[in-house]
Amino acid sequence: MITSYLTHPDFARHDMGGSHPEAPVRLEVIRKRLMLSGLLQQTMQSEAPPAKPLALARVHAPDYLETLASQRPQNGLQTLDNDTRMGPWTLEAAALAAGAAIKGVDLVCGNRADNVFCAVRPPGHHAERALAMGFCFYNNVAVAAAHARAVHGLERIAILDFDVHQGNGTLDIFHDDPSVLICSSYQEAFYPWRYLEGDWRNVVNTPLPAGTASRDFRLAIERDWLPALERHRPQLVLLSSGFDAHRDDPLGELALEHGDFYWITHLAMDIARRYAGGKLVSVLEGGYHPKVLPLSVEAHLTALLGQPYPG
């Protein structure tokens, strides 16, 4: 199993200041843990290139992209909403995050990797077609899906989002698009409070009560996602991999364990093997506990590498 690990040192230049949970330390602790465990050395490591404007414009409105660029501060921070701030290097980091997802698609579609993990920030799944929110500026996984269609000619793509928050941005961009199946699990009645109501044939929402633990999480995923995935038969599986559904994460109230991230990764890989020749790209979204996040990513990467989970 060849697993590619994509990241870039310039992600650290995006800093929303103070004690903001979406901080550069997130990628630092992930890398340290994966180095210590020896998993990182088993991957094919490379740096992400920036996404080109055309790739971003496939999913984001031109006026939105222009407005974001005009709001870039020369120094300090520009507040976009209560959660989301832009610094001088934010858009460079965001372009690299989207570029990592694009490169991941190119690697698996070119048979140069079996699967890919993109260790990126800022996250992307809250970014809508014309709105930055929830720490997100460009929708990384949506950019990757649109690239897969435009450049590689794929006709059926699945986006699986297991963050504690619903991937509203991905829904905003692709709802009612039959070529993209979106499966999103999240804590019910919780941020972002958008796209919770609606009936879209290509969207499977799986709201979970606060406190939901392993057994009920797994049952809900098998009940809701598997039938839709088997009908869709995706040619590529993309993961919005949020690890803030862990029981110790400070931003949510679900109660998942590290092993649940191994389990859902293994499930996604099985779908990819059955329908997509194994092609799977995972893009980091949430996860904000500095001690818990790296262990959850370790479980995720263990599955991507095709190794048994020791837990």
Side-chain angles (χ1 to χ4, degrees), residues 239-304:
L239 302 183
S240 274
S241 297
F243 300 98
D244 42 9
H246 190 277
R247 59 184 173 85
D248 293 330
D249 194 276
L251 266 62
E253 296 174 297
L254 297 182
L256 302 191
E257 306 285 347
H258 302 306
D260 294 312
F261 299 117
Y262 178 91
W263 176 84
I264 197 166
T265 307
H266 193 271
L267 179 146
M269 291 173 66
D270 183 59
I271 292 294
R273 278 192 295 266
R274 288 164 61 189
Y275 302 117
K279 293 190 287 294
L280 181 148
V281 178
S282 170
V283 183
L284 179 65
E285 300 285 0
Y288 302 100
H289 191 298
K291 293 183 179 179
V292 169
L293 171 61
L295 295 174
S296 295
V297 174
E298 180 182 26
H300 181 59
L301 199 63
T302 298
L304 292 178

Side-chain angles (χ1 to χ4, degrees), residues 102-254:
I102 289 172
K103 183 172 180 178
V105 169
D106 289 341
L107 287 172
V108 298
C109 288
N111 296 315
R112 288 176 284 160
D114 295 296
N115 55 57
V116 178
F117 178 65
C118 302
V120 302
R121 54 180 298 275
H125 73 153
H126 293 311
E128 298 187 355
R129 185 173 183 272
L131 180 67
M133 60 181 289
F135 317 162
C136 302
F137 303 87
Y138 304 144
N139 194 308
N140 306 321
V141 75
V143 170
H147 175 80
R149 290 194 304 193
V151 175
H152 296 284
L154 300 188
E155 297 177 345
R156 298 184 309 281
I157 299 164
I159 299 175
L160 312 184
D161 188 325
F162 51 86
D163 195 276
V164 78
H165 307 100
Q166 185 208 46
N168 63 289
T170 311
L171 268 69
D172 180 73
I173 292 164
F174 288 127
H175 71 277
D176 283 331
D177 184 334
S179 70
V180 180
L181 173 67
I182 303 167
C183 299
S184 182
S185 63
Y186 52 89
Q187 182 178 326
E188 68 180 1
F190 197 46
Y191 185 92
W193 306 293
R194 299 166 68 85
Y195 288 98
L196 301 181
E197 302 294 331
D199 184 17
W200 304 283
R201 296 185 65 181
N202 68 313
V203 174
V204 180
N205 276 327
T206 301
L208 302 167
T212 295
S214 299
R215 179 180 178 274
D216 288 340
F217 168 73
R218 297 185 187 196
L219 288 173
I221 295 301
E222 290 176 340
R223 179 195 67 218
D224 293 355
W225 292 16
L226 288 182
L229 287 163
E230 288 165 359
R231 288 192 300 269
H232 192 64
R233 302 175 66 88
Q235 298 165 299
L236 171 69
V237 175
L238 301 174
L239 302 183
S240 274
S241 297
F243 300 98
D244 42 9
H246 190 277
R247 59 184 173 85
D248 293 330
D249 194 276
L251 266 62
E253 296 174 297
L254 297 182

Side-chain angles (χ1 to χ4, degrees), residues 14-26:
H14 166 56
D15 192 341
M16 290 191 278
S19 58
H20 198 289
E22 208 295 279
V25 71
R26 297 178 66 227

Side-chain angles (χ1 to χ4, degrees), residues 61-72 78 80 86 91 130:
D63 289 351
Y64 168 69
L65 296 173
E66 291 172 7
T67 299
L68 270 186
S70 72
Q71 292 176 310
R72 178 209 307 264
Q78 172 70 39
L80 303 186
M86 182 190 299
L91 293 186

